[in-house]
Amino acid sequence: MYKLVEKYKLDKNTILQSMRTSSSEVLERILQEKGKKQDKTKKMNKYLDAIHNDSFKIFSEQVDKTQMSECAFLVYYCWIIVSIECRNSLWKYESMDLSRRSGELWESLMKLCWTFPVKKNIRRFTSPNFEDVQKKIKNRFIGKLEGNGLTEEIVTDIFNDYDKIWSLLGASINLNSDELFETFDELEDEMVGVKTKHEKVIIDFKGSYGSNEKGNKERLLTVARVYDLLNYYELTDKPYRCILAVRTIEESGHNYLRQLESSGLWSIKRGSEVYKMVYEYTGFNVIDVINKHKLSIINDLNEITARYMNSNRTSKQDKSFADHYLTWW
């Protein structure tokens, strides 16, 4: 149904040409079809996913293993460019859609650095089950009470009050996040030049942080409190650390971020700090790759899509789509 350009190298323009050639025929056919824009977009997305997978397979086979992280990042970046172009051809982006989509794409691009890390001393882990965590913490609390020589009646009375407080959290809390990983060997750190502590890290990526984040702030605080209790009661082999990585901070979002930061439960990484953090943990230097390949979303988009993103503006911030949603570094 599609074919890739056969001559290739680890080069942005070569990869973009390959993907655009592969998608153009399918895009033109879908544009001529009758049906809802949503259905056309879903159909195109399936082709785009296959094009990404095939592109990565082909290009990754042509590079040295030491370039695998760079290859994965560059191929996915180029796929982002082509997917935005195709989506906008089928169904013009509105502000809210582009806000959500740009956040998803940026998050996926960052997470790719953990899928193909330069360092080999990190590994992902599955978030703990809340019910199991709750039982462990409660049992440890009872153990502390009993260790103080209190009578069984007093221990029971205190624990019942403690249990009522726990009930305020609800029946279940999802302790999962965008990225969960642990460090387990410092030898590789010395090779890369940055040392990291042995720890379990929970990262929540946000493309932008604004006035609508109050509910999310409360969720983040609740999740971090649970991990903090695991640290406090020493119910983990390595301490948990929670990091909120934010690409763009709207003026109205600063207050919520300050509340998270002042809680002592979340470390906040803003803008360029995010890319430094990625390098610290994965060994992959995002900024170096951006500069090396001259990556700029608005400049890499085709002329029609770039013109649309530059000419349309957000109603609240009065910024172009290009500036507000597609300027990532």
Side-chain angles (χ1 to χ4, degrees):
M1 290 183 176
Y2 54 84
K3 61 180 180 179
L4 295 164
V5 174
E6 294 182 0
K7 293 184 179 181
Y8 36 73
K9 60 180 179 177
L10 194 54
D11 170 77
K12 177 185 70 175
N13 294 326
T14 302
I15 299 172
L16 280 173
Q17 180 188 352
S18 172
M19 289 186 173
R20 283 169 173 153
T21 300
S22 302
S23 62
S24 60
E25 184 178 338
V26 177
L27 176 61
E28 287 302 317
R29 190 176 73 244
I30 293 177
L31 280 169
Q32 300 305 317
E33 293 178 356
K34 295 182 179 179
K36 296 181 179 178
K37 295 177 181 178
Q38 294 93 322
D39 295 335
K40 290 183 177 182
T41 301
K42 286 180 181 179
K43 184 181 291 189
M44 189 68 214
N45 285 343
K46 290 182 179 180
Y47 284 100
L48 288 171
D49 287 342
I51 288 170
H52 170 265
N53 294 338
D54 288 352
S55 297
F56 178 65
K57 182 176 184 300
I58 288 175
F59 286 105
S60 64
E61 289 174 352
Q62 310 305 313
V63 299
D64 187 84
K65 288 183 179 180
T66 59
Q67 290 183 290
M68 194 58 66
S69 302
E70 181 181 352
C71 179
F73 189 92
L74 189 58
V75 168
Y76 193 77
Y77 169 84
C78 291
W79 178 85
I80 287 173
I81 297 299
V82 176
S83 68
I84 291 174
E85 292 171 350
C86 291
R87 164 60 160 82
N88 207 57
S89 294
L90 290 166
W91 186 8
K92 289 290 186 286
Y93 273 112
E94 294 183 2
S95 185
M96 187 175 296
D97 295 329
L98 188 57
S99 173
R100 177 185 56 78
R101 187 57 177 156
S102 67
E104 293 173 348
L105 293 172
W106 178 76
E107 175 191 324
S108 297
L109 188 63
M110 292 301 101
K111 290 178 67 174
L112 204 63
C113 301
W114 276 265
T115 304
F116 298 94
V118 174
K119 291 185 178 182
K120 304 306 176 187
N121 67 329
I122 58 173
R123 60 186 166 219
R124 285 168 167 155
F125 67 88
T126 304
S127 61
N129 178 272
F130 176 71
E131 291 183 3
D132 294 338
V133 166
Q134 187 176 217
K135 288 178 183 177
K136 289 179 180 179
I137 293 173
K138 288 181 178 180
N139 288 338
R140 183 59 60 89
F141 181 74
I142 290 176
K144 290 191 71 172
L145 291 176
E146 293 174 341
N148 287 322
L150 301 174
T151 66
E152 183 178 345
E153 182 180 357
I154 293 176
V155 168
T156 301
D157 199 35
I158 294 174
F159 179 75
N160 285 339
D161 288 340
Y162 181 72
D163 200 35
K164 289 178 181 177
I165 295 174
W166 265 96
S167 68
L168 296 175
L169 297 177
S172 182
I173 296 173
N174 184 358
L175 297 176
N176 198 14
S177 197
D178 297 324
E179 192 65 65
L180 300 92
F181 68 96
E182 62 179 324
T183 61
F184 63 91
D185 182 10
E186 294 183 349
L187 180 62
E188 183 103 354
D189 288 357
E190 297 176 4
M191 297 171 59
V192 178
V194 180
K195 283 185 176 289
T196 58
K197 299 181 297 181
H198 287 319
E199 57 187 353
K200 290 184 175 179
V201 184
I202 292 89
I203 299 180
D204 195 273
F205 289 104
K206 292 291 294 182
S208 62
Y209 210 91
S211 59
N212 60 338
E213 297 293 343
K214 183 177 180 180
N216 188 50
K217 182 206 72 173
E218 297 303 329
R219 180 191 68 82
L220 290 172
L221 286 173
T222 300
V223 168
R225 287 187 184 110
V226 174
Y227 282 116
D228 191 52
L229 283 171
L230 288 171
N231 289 340
Y232 176 77
Y233 286 115
E234 297 181 343
L235 294 171
T236 174
D237 58 333
K238 301 168 189 173
Y240 287 102
R241 183 187 182 198
C242 296
I243 299 174
L244 178 61
V246 186
R247 187 193 74 223
T248 304
I249 304 171
E250 298 176 21
E251 188 61 35
S252 57
H254 284 286
N255 185 47
Y256 292 139
L257 283 180
R258 282 194 290 268
Q259 291 176 38
L260 286 170
E261 202 163 28
S262 63
S263 73
L265 298 172
W266 284 93
S267 297
I268 312 297
K269 302 297 181 182
R270 302 166 172 85
S272 62
E273 294 176 345
V274 175
Y275 306 119
K276 292 177 182 177
M277 175 201 66
V278 171
Y279 174 66
E280 176 186 353
Y281 283 115
T282 71
F284 182 70
N285 197 321
V286 174
I287 297 301
D288 274 4
V289 172
I290 289 169
N291 293 334
K292 176 182 177 181
H293 295 283
K294 297 180 173 59
L295 306 185
S296 166
I297 293 177
I298 195 62
N299 290 333
D300 290 327
L301 288 170
N302 62 31
E303 185 179 349
I304 294 175
T305 310
R307 191 185 310 122
Y308 179 85
M309 297 301 175
N310 278 315
S311 61
N312 281 270
R313 306 186 71 80
T314 61
S315 58
K316 188 174 182 180
Q317 300 82 11
D318 192 29
K319 292 183 177 180
S320 70
F321 285 5
D323 287 338
H324 194 63
Y325 298 129
L326 301 178
T327 302
W328 293 1
W329 34 73

